Amino acid sequence: MEESRVQTAVSLFKSGYNCAQSVFAAYAELFGMDLQTALKMSSAMGGGVGRMREVCGAVSAMAMLAGLKEGNTDPEDEEAKEHIYALVRQMSGQFQKKQGSLICRELLGIEGMEESAKPSHRDEAYYQSRPCAGLIACAAGIIETVLI
C-alpha cells in the first residue's frame, strides 16, 4: 500500500481548506486528477455542501473519490451504477457507524443551516472547538481501507 495520506488530509484542513477539499485533494492525484482541479471541484462541498450543513464534506469527498476510481460512464450499465452506489453506501456506512451521523450539523451539534455563506474565521480556538480534523482522519482512513 501507498504511504498513508491521513495526516496530509488533516494538514490540508489545518492550513485552511474545507473538509471536502482536505480529503479529496489528499487522494485525487492517485486517481488521475491534478491538485488544482481537485481543490476547485471539491470546494463547493465544504460546510455540508455550500455551508448548508447537510452531508459532511468529508463524506462527499469519499463519494467523489469512489467515483474517480470506480465510477460508471455508460448510462445503460445498470450493474456499474449499482456497484458505485454500493461502494459509496459501504464507505458512508462505516463513517456513520464510527461518527454517529453523515450530516454536518449533527456532527457539529448545531441546528439548521448557517445564516451566512461566509466561512468562519479560522484560528486555534476554531480548530479546538470542532471535530472536523477527526472526521477528516476517519474519512481518509476509510478511503485507505476501501479504495487503495
Side-chain angles (χ1 to χ4, degrees):
M1 181 174 118
E2 280 258 338
E3 183 176 317
S4 175
R5 295 180 182 220
V6 173
Q7 195 53 49
T8 301
V10 172
S11 293
L12 285 167
F13 176 71
K14 290 184 176 179
S15 72
Y17 291 106
N18 70 42
C19 295
Q21 287 176 304
S22 300
V23 173
F24 193 70
Y27 297 95
E29 65 94 10
L30 294 177
F31 306 113
M33 184 177 285
D34 67 275
L35 179 62
Q36 291 302 308
T37 303
L39 290 168
K40 286 181 181 181
M41 185 174 164
S42 56
S43 65
M45 305 310 285
V49 185
R51 205 164 186 263
M52 292 186 293
R53 304 301 183 199
E54 296 296 335
V55 174
C56 172
V59 174
S60 294
M62 288 192 308
M64 292 190 308
L65 288 164
L68 269 178
K69 183 177 183 198
E70 299 189 28
N72 65 297
T73 57
D74 179 353
E76 304 298 320
D77 189 345
E78 297 297 322
E79 192 173 303
K81 289 179 187 180
E82 181 180 7
H83 171 73
I84 193 63
Y85 294 158
L87 182 59
V88 169
R89 285 175 171 219
Q90 174 193 353
M91 295 171 73
S92 297
Q94 287 180 28
F95 185 92
Q96 186 168 17
K97 184 176 181 182
K98 291 176 181 179
Q99 301 302 328
S101 181
L102 302 175
I103 305 302
C104 177
R105 70 178 162 273
E106 292 173 3
L107 294 164
L108 294 179
I110 61 174
E111 296 288 324
M113 187 171 87
E114 298 282 351
E115 290 290 318
S116 171
K118 184 177 181 173
S120 300
H121 174 71
R122 299 274 187 106
D123 59 16
E124 195 54 40
Y126 170 90
Y127 292 111
Q128 293 299 318
S129 69
R130 300 218 172 208
C132 302
L135 301 173
I136 289 164
C138 177
I142 293 167
I143 290 161
E144 293 188 4
T145 301
V146 177
L147 293 181
I148 299 176

